[in-house]
Amino acid sequence: MAKVPFYQETVEQLYQNLQTSDQGLSSQVAQQRLEKNGHNALNQQKTTSLLQKFLAQFKDFMIIVLLVAALIAGLTGEVVDAVIILLVVVLNAIFGVFQEAKAEEAINALKEMSAPNATIRRDGQVMSVKSDELVVGDIVLLEAGDIIPADLRLLDVASLKVEESALTGESVPVEKADTVLTENDLAIGDRHNMAFMNSNVTYGRATGVVVATGMQTEVGRIAGMIEAADETTTPLQSNLTQLGKSLTILILVIAAIVFAMGMWRQAESLIDMLLTAISLAVAAIPEGLPAIVTITLALGTQRMAKRHAIVRKLPAVETLGSTDIIASDKTGTLTQNKMTVEKVYENLDLADAHTLNFDRNDRLAQVMILSNDTKITTEGLAGDPTETALVQYQLDRDYPVDQVLKEMPRVAEIPFDSERKLMSTVHPLADGRFLIAVKGAPDELLKRVTRLAKADAVAPLTANDRQTILATNHDLATQALRVLAFAYRIVDQVPTELTSEKVENELILAGMVGMIDPERPEVAQAVADAKSAGIRPMMITGDHRDTAAAIAARLGIIEKGDTAAVITGAELDEMDDATFAKRVGDYAVYARVAPEHKVRIVNAWQKRGKVVAMTGDGVNDAPALKAADIGIGMGITGTEVSKGASDMVLADDNFSTIVVAVEEGRKVFANIQKAIQYLLSANLGEVLTLFMMTMLGWQILAPVHILWINLVTDTLPAIALGVEPMERNIMKQPPRGRQSNFFSGGVFGGIIYQGLLEGGITLFVYWLALTYPVHASASLVHADALTMAFATLGLIQLFHAFNSKSIHGSIFTVGLFKNKFFNWAILIAFALLAMTILVPGLNSMFHVAHLDAFQWGIVLAASFMMIVIVEIVKVFQRRLMK
């Protein structure tokens, strides 16, 4: 026999099945159930030890290539080479572990923010316990402001409203009831006599019995579903893997050719040619690249953390830079997540709310704060967001709210209910009479109004007045404003029969207000910045179509009146995946959307080859966050599950922070690209130099020369390029897209011609030294030529670092000396390079000779030509690009 859902059971059936009562469980039974079923908490993500994190860093393909190179170097006697390569690999692993640990700390700090206590009844006594100690059968007492600690079946409800967006995506609080529901297979959002873990009570109070805890709750069930979800591969990871494979093939081919040619010419012994081939391999491998990428990403995450974006996974920084689509939740991300009075209608006149101030005896102001359940506490206002907005509005205008509430206390009330859509309260007046304050839906309230409050008197409500008021109400509603009407009536005594029929009639209309959850002031500019960067911002919300469209138009996501760009979840359900994939580009706003629709939206855009960033704060958003190229969780409103599924967490829940992060991501990619162009063109120059020297039968540079040049030029200057300031036009360029890689945008061509140029100039200097020697001895001539080639190959790379500050821009426009770290890196690298030639003892260790001023002049002039020639090429490149 199938189990009856809790929402279909009567209170007596619930008590019987759960073995509890209205007095709650006994402490002894509660302890037994806690020991048997475990704590009321979601499964924590499995944490890894520092050793596991460290070992995981060695799974990267580039790291494996470097480890193989180190092994070969060690086996053939090149111990120094092997040690240097291993040192780079270990440093890279340490950087990776450090960043992961820092990210985990930040996320754990955010998790600590949501661990509320629960008010329960046990042993017949009301007490407060930690929410993770709740068990099935506990009786929980709820009131406004509480976080629901477990799944509850509601037993007794008084005007309860619950905000369930974490589970359903519906941003407006849901009214709850305690009646038995008879329908079968009800969706979570339709189970009005249930309250679910991690949702929030915004209004009213209730009592409920715990029917599920921990991973057995609706939140826990969905959390379990996403634990096995596959991780997406970021563009950066794909690019580095592709680069590693390409370099490996290139290195093997070049080394094999050189080894074969050398053996064919019989110029060297087998061992010498093997060492030469290894020298080429060392020259070709950019040992510092993994460390440079990691450092650049880590520095990017630190800058982003200062701007409220906490990155959980390093590659996510770069992924942001290639984002084509940003799909954002509305409430709290695009908007302020607080209702605000925007329009006031009084005396048949509509005005902007911020332009008004109210007299102490103004009836509209009085009714706004009297017919209101907001509690004023030392920590601020507590209650339903709509009601707190009314009180806050008057407080902001220095209206004497406390004084009015003290002088006119509530002595009777008819609470709000969803059928009549009204609320009435009764208050004493100074003359001994009583004020009945009524608020509610305009169309319902107007049915009970007979008179209208004007500036200096009360007049009968005419048919024309009624028409005007209804038209104003409709106009405000089309602007996505939530409209409330306010009325009053003065009586001689407190009504003896507090019913709607006796109290809510013959009312005087005081006025209306239009409220909205307003957009964040900085978001409109952020949307404009995203659009100018070629990124398409989209809104996804559980709110109504009109509200979503109005906010989207105000933010510039769509044009005003562009209803064709808005689609609802119901309309989306009517489309199959193939149709939606074709039409996904037509829509920029998704309204009344359930969180499961987000996965469809992500998949549809990804099938078009787009890189998608998706925001979400609910448990049901987690699958979409994992499916997206970059999932963005909410640090303030987000659930633990959504944060755990995300790549990045917004500490301020603000859309503009995403655009800032995109900007940082583009900067990171651009700087990695600069470092790659610099490293590979330099390494190509080294390979070409060694290759041609071998082919021409010249005395070739020794492995120690190549290793020292790589150590000096591939580390500090390359890392310094990773922290270059952002170029001015970076957010004016279109997104790179999924198909781009580190060689896109002219980088591959730059690597080839710049590498050939470096090798060519170095070989020219070597030839020049042989052809026009300053010594007579053949051994000294070759020593000078080799030293000049060594110095030129090193210096030319340092000059080329200035070229690499911009892929296509002139070094005179990007700022020669803006980057202080770069300036110091060049000076230190130059000093280290010069030391090997100038310091006695070191020159013999490096097998180099002293050079005179003329020879140094040739080296410096030839090296400086690198800047001149590349600048000329860039001029023609920029003209072609235009």
Side-chain angles (χ1 to χ4, degrees):
M1 183 177 172
K3 185 180 180 300
V4 177
F6 292 114
Y7 58 81
Q8 290 182 339
E9 292 186 354
T10 64
V11 174
E12 292 75 20
Q13 288 172 322
L14 283 164
Y15 285 159
Q16 183 179 346
N17 293 337
L18 300 175
Q19 297 180 343
T20 187
S21 69
D22 61 352
Q23 296 303 301
L25 301 169
S26 67
S27 298
Q28 184 181 0
V29 170
Q31 185 61 35
Q32 288 171 353
R33 292 188 182 184
L34 184 65
E35 290 172 1
K36 179 182 177 183
N37 300 319
H39 281 79
N40 173 39
L42 301 180
N43 288 346
Q44 296 293 313
Q45 280 189 311
K46 291 178 182 176
T47 55
T48 53
S49 66
L50 280 177
L51 179 61
Q52 288 172 312
K53 286 189 178 79
F54 183 75
L55 294 175
Q57 306 299 318
F58 293 89
K59 293 177 183 177
D60 185 87
F61 190 83
M62 272 296 281
I63 299 297
I64 294 169
V65 171
L66 290 174
L67 289 173
V68 171
L71 179 63
I72 294 170
L75 290 174
T76 52
E78 297 298 326
V79 179
V80 179
D81 293 23
V83 169
I84 293 295
I85 293 173
L86 286 173
L87 185 63
V88 168
V89 168
V90 170
L91 283 173
N92 173 70
I94 291 170
F95 274 121
V97 170
F98 174 76
Q99 180 55 34
E100 276 190 37
K102 293 290 285 183
E104 276 187 13
E105 280 177 25
I107 295 301
N108 288 335
L110 289 170
K111 284 182 179 180
E112 289 298 319
M113 294 168 61
S114 55
N117 290 339
T119 303
I120 65 169
R121 193 182 294 133
R122 272 189 194 164
D123 300 315
Q125 302 293 317
V126 174
M127 62 181 71
S128 179
V129 300
K130 288 184 178 180
S131 60
D132 65 357
E133 294 176 3
L134 286 182
V135 295
V136 171
D138 267 327
I139 303 297
V140 178
L141 283 62
L142 300 173
E143 59 180 43
D146 285 351
I147 296 173
I148 293 169
D151 281 5
L152 309 177
R153 165 68 155 81
L154 299 173
L155 307 172
D156 181 34
V157 167
S159 304
L160 185 71
K161 290 184 183 178
V162 178
E163 194 268 298
E164 298 180 333
S165 63
L167 199 61
T168 65
E170 170 63 71
S171 62
V172 178
V174 178
E175 293 174 15
K176 294 293 183 177
D178 51 21
T179 54
V180 176
L181 301 175
T182 57
E183 295 91 338
N184 293 317
D185 300 322
L186 282 177
I188 292 173
D190 296 325
R191 299 175 194 174
H192 298 305
N193 61 4
M194 300 284 294
F196 301 102
M197 185 178 185
N198 281 6
S199 49
N200 303 289
V201 178
T202 63
Y203 188 85
R205 57 189 182 275
T207 304
V209 59
V210 176
V211 296
T213 60
M215 293 302 287
Q216 303 306 310
T217 62
E218 289 296 330
V219 167
R221 184 179 61 81
I222 299 165
M225 286 168 54
I226 64 168
E227 280 184 350
D230 292 331
E231 297 284 345
T232 53
T233 303
T234 68
L236 177 66
Q237 290 165 326
S238 301
N239 282 336
L240 283 176
T241 301
Q242 179 188 347
L243 179 60
K245 289 176 180 176
S246 302
L247 282 176
T248 303
I249 294 167
L250 184 67
I251 291 162
L252 291 174
V253 170
I254 291 172
I257 290 173
V258 169
F259 180 77
M261 288 294 291
M263 292 307 295
W264 176 68
R265 290 180 67 251
Q266 296 183 340
E268 305 278 354
S269 67
L270 177 66
I271 293 298
D272 287 340
M273 281 315 304
L274 192 59
L275 287 174
T276 300
I278 289 171
S279 298
L280 274 171
V282 171
I285 294 174
E287 297 96 326
L289 181 58
I292 289 159
V293 170
T294 305
I295 291 167
T296 306
L297 291 174
L299 291 172
T301 63
Q302 290 177 19
R303 288 190 296 269
M304 288 164 71
K306 290 176 184 175
R307 301 175 82 173
H308 309 297
I310 298 170
V311 175
R312 298 184 66 246
K313 299 168 186 175
L314 271 184
V317 182
E318 185 276 330
T319 308
L320 278 161
S322 57
T323 299
D324 297 286
I325 306 291
I326 300 176
S328 176
D329 186 33
K330 178 184 78 70
T331 306
T333 307
L334 297 173
T335 64
Q336 297 176 30
N337 197 21
K338 63 176 183 181
M339 294 299 287
T340 305
V341 177
E342 189 162 286
K343 297 286 185 182
V344 174
Y345 185 74
E346 189 178 22
N347 193 25
L348 298 181
D349 183 44
L350 185 66
D352 289 332
H354 68 273
T355 63
L356 300 178
N357 283 298
F358 293 87
D359 181 77
R360 162 74 173 73
N361 296 314
D362 186 278
R363 291 299 187 204
L364 176 59
Q366 287 179 348
V367 178
M368 283 170 72
I369 62 173
L370 292 173
S371 184
N372 195 313
D373 286 332
T374 296
K375 291 182 175 65
I376 302 175
T377 69
T378 54
E379 297 177 356
L381 303 181
D384 182 84
T386 301
E387 292 195 322
T388 58
L390 298 172
V391 175
Q392 188 62 54
Y393 174 67
Q394 296 298 352
L395 288 172
D396 291 342
R397 264 139 203 82
D398 297 323
Y399 186 81
V401 174
D402 287 331
Q403 187 181 340
V404 171
L405 291 173
K406 187 176 180 181
E407 292 175 3
M408 303 172 71
R410 186 183 302 187
V411 294
E413 67 178 301
I414 307 177
F416 175 87
D417 72 50
S418 56
E419 288 186 16
R420 74 184 208 287
K421 297 182 179 177
L422 298 174
M423 172 184 179
S424 296
T425 55
V426 184
H427 308 265
L429 293 169
D431 60 5
R433 295 185 295 169
F434 292 86
L435 175 76
I436 297 174
V438 187
K439 81 161 183 291
D443 49 351
E444 291 297 324
L445 190 63
L446 275 173
K447 294 174 184 177
R448 295 163 169 81
V449 167
T450 58
R451 289 175 291 168
L452 175 68
K454 293 196 172 181
D456 50 1
V458 174
L461 185 72
T462 67
N464 282 341
D465 291 340
R466 192 180 296 272
Q467 200 96 19
T468 303
I469 293 165
L470 287 171
T472 303
N473 174 44
H474 176 74
D475 184 49
L476 292 174
T478 57
Q479 297 174 46
L481 297 177
R482 185 176 185 184
V483 186
L484 280 178
F486 302 87
Y488 66 96
R489 176 184 167 196
I490 297 173
V491 295
D492 293 328
Q493 60 185 21
V494 177
T496 53
E497 193 177 335
L498 291 171
T499 63
S500 180
E501 292 75 16
K502 296 291 184 182
V503 176
E504 295 168 343
N505 55 58
E506 300 294 321
L507 299 175
I508 303 166
L509 184 70
M512 299 187 298
V513 300
M515 293 182 287
I516 199 167
D517 176 10
E519 66 275 19
R520 289 177 180 263
E522 66 276 17
V523 169
Q525 184 58 50
V527 168
D529 291 343
K531 283 188 166 183
S532 70
I535 301 166
R536 182 167 182 174
M538 298 191 311
M539 177 196 288
I540 300 178
T541 179
D543 270 342
H544 290 278
R545 185 188 196 117
D546 291 344
T547 305
I551 291 291
R554 287 163 66 150
L555 291 172
I557 293 174
I558 61 172
E559 296 296 324
K560 190 174 182 180
D562 184 11
T563 56
V566 185
I567 185 173
T568 65
E571 291 167 336
L572 189 56
D573 284 333
E574 292 172 5
M575 287 188 206
D576 58 36
D577 288 342
T579 305
F580 180 52
K582 290 177 185 175
R583 299 185 57 188
V584 66
D586 298 340
Y587 309 115
V589 177
Y590 295 83
R592 301 302 281 172
V593 170
E596 56 265 26
H597 290 124
K598 288 189 175 185
V599 177
R600 286 190 70 191
I601 297 166
V602 170
N603 290 340
W605 278 112
Q606 286 176 332
K607 284 175 183 174
R608 288 192 168 199
K610 301 296 184 183
V611 177
V612 183
M614 172 72 74
T615 70
D617 57 2
V619 176
N620 268 359
D621 295 330
L625 293 175
K626 279 212 165 187
D629 296 285
I630 179 155
I632 302 170
M634 301 294 141
I636 299 172
T637 60
T639 59
E640 292 181 17
V641 178
S642 64
K643 291 172 195 171
S646 61
D647 303 295
M648 184 177 88
V649 175
L650 301 182
D652 59 358
D653 288 13
N654 193 337
F655 178 85
S656 62
T657 303
I658 304 174
V659 179
V660 165
V662 168
E663 185 179 84
E664 191 63 48
R666 289 192 173 193
K667 173 185 168 184
V668 164
F669 181 85
N671 286 352
I672 292 174
Q673 206 174 30
K674 291 170 189 175
I676 284 175
Q677 176 171 292
Y678 168 69
L679 286 171
L680 295 188
S681 58
N683 288 11
L684 179 59
E686 293 169 13
V687 169
L688 181 67
T689 301
L690 284 177
F691 183 77
M692 290 307 297
M693 281 179 161
T694 304
M695 294 301 102
L696 295 170
W698 291 350
Q699 185 180 351
I700 65 172
L701 292 168
V704 69
H705 294 143
I706 297 300
L707 185 65
W708 188 250
I709 289 173
N710 276 3
L711 182 65
V712 168
T713 63
D714 281 14
T715 49
L716 289 179
I719 292 169
L721 286 171
V723 294
E724 271 292 296
M726 184 173 65
E727 293 186 51
R728 286 176 299 178
N729 64 342
I730 202 162
M731 287 298 281
K732 299 296 181 185
Q733 299 165 3
R736 298 191 318 275
R738 191 177 295 278
Q739 301 305 316
S740 72
N741 55 45
F742 289 127
F743 297 118
S744 302
V747 171
F748 183 74
I751 290 171
I752 298 300
Y753 92 81
Q754 289 161 14
L756 292 172
L757 191 58
E758 288 187 33
I761 291 172
T762 304
L763 291 168
F764 172 75
V765 169
Y766 186 90
W767 172 83
L768 202 64
L770 289 179
T771 309
Y772 302 101
V774 294
H775 295 102
S777 166
S779 61
L780 290 177
V781 169
H782 278 92
D784 285 352
L786 203 63
T787 303
M788 289 174 71
F790 167 66
T792 303
L793 191 56
L795 277 179
I796 205 169
Q797 292 181 25
L798 297 184
F799 279 116
H800 184 46
F802 285 94
N803 290 328
S804 301
K805 280 173 165 277
S806 176
I807 302 297
H808 298 294
S810 169
I811 58 172
F812 302 108
T813 59
V814 296
L816 269 175
F817 305 111
K818 267 187 182 178
N819 185 348
K820 291 180 180 177
F821 181 45
F822 180 87
N823 301 336
W824 280 107
I826 295 297
L827 287 173
I828 292 168
F830 177 78
L832 289 171
L833 197 65
M835 276 168 46
T836 59
I837 301 172
L838 299 175
V839 176
L842 281 180
N843 52 10
S844 58
M845 187 188 303
F846 278 87
H847 313 295
V848 291
H850 282 291
L851 301 177
D852 61 23
F854 176 71
Q855 289 170 320
W856 272 113
I858 292 172
V859 167
L860 288 168
S863 301
F864 185 75
M865 284 303 296
M866 189 71 194
I867 288 181
V868 176
I869 296 169
V870 172
E871 277 291 299
I872 293 169
V873 173
K874 283 184 180 180
V875 169
F876 287 103
Q877 284 180 331
R878 289 194 294 272
R879 287 182 180 175
L880 285 171
M881 287 167 68
K882 286 182 180 178

